[in-house]
Amino acid sequence: LVVASNSDDPHERPQLHAVALRGGTPRLLYGGDYDALVYQFDGPGLLLGRHTFDPVVGDRWKGYRGGKSGFVWLDHQGKGDFKRLPLRSGTAEAEDLNVSCLMWGPN
């Protein structure tokens, strides 16, 4: 089981942890402030996300001035070799896209 938690970070940044279904001590994954992990449907690939939430939701909006656009890394083979995906809208007004729900569908 993979969960995102900010319990170990004094700045409340989420980190991904693996937890055995039978319990035990959570194990930190990927050593950074990531908040989403998606496994490839019927394959070895992984998507790893950072800032994959909607900044408008709840108290995050108060004082929001941008800078929290999402980042996504892709590992096609599931071996830990992640490459950052360029997420651009193609318009001059918005250089970065908001990433709020990572999914990996069947091919």
Side-chain angles (χ1 to χ4, degrees), residues 59-77:
D59 62 348
R60 293 185 187 120
W61 179 251
K62 184 176 181 182
Y64 180 71
R65 290 180 179 27
K68 291 256 183 173
S69 59
F71 299 98
V72 179
W73 285 269
L74 173 64
D75 175 5
H76 274 291
Q77 302 301 318

Side-chain angles (χ1 to χ4, degrees), residues 5 10 17 21 29-30 44 59 61 67 76 82 84-85 94 107:
S5 171
H17 295 80
L21 293 178
L29 297 174
Y30 308 114
D59 62 348
W61 179 251
H76 274 291
F82 289 93
R84 184 170 163 189
L85 296 178
N107 294 337

Side-chain angles (χ1 to χ4, degrees), residues 21-38:
L21 293 178
R22 293 184 177 164
T25 303
R27 181 175 49 90
L28 181 65
L29 297 174
Y30 308 114
D33 54 330
Y34 303 105
D35 50 25
L37 178 66
V38 180

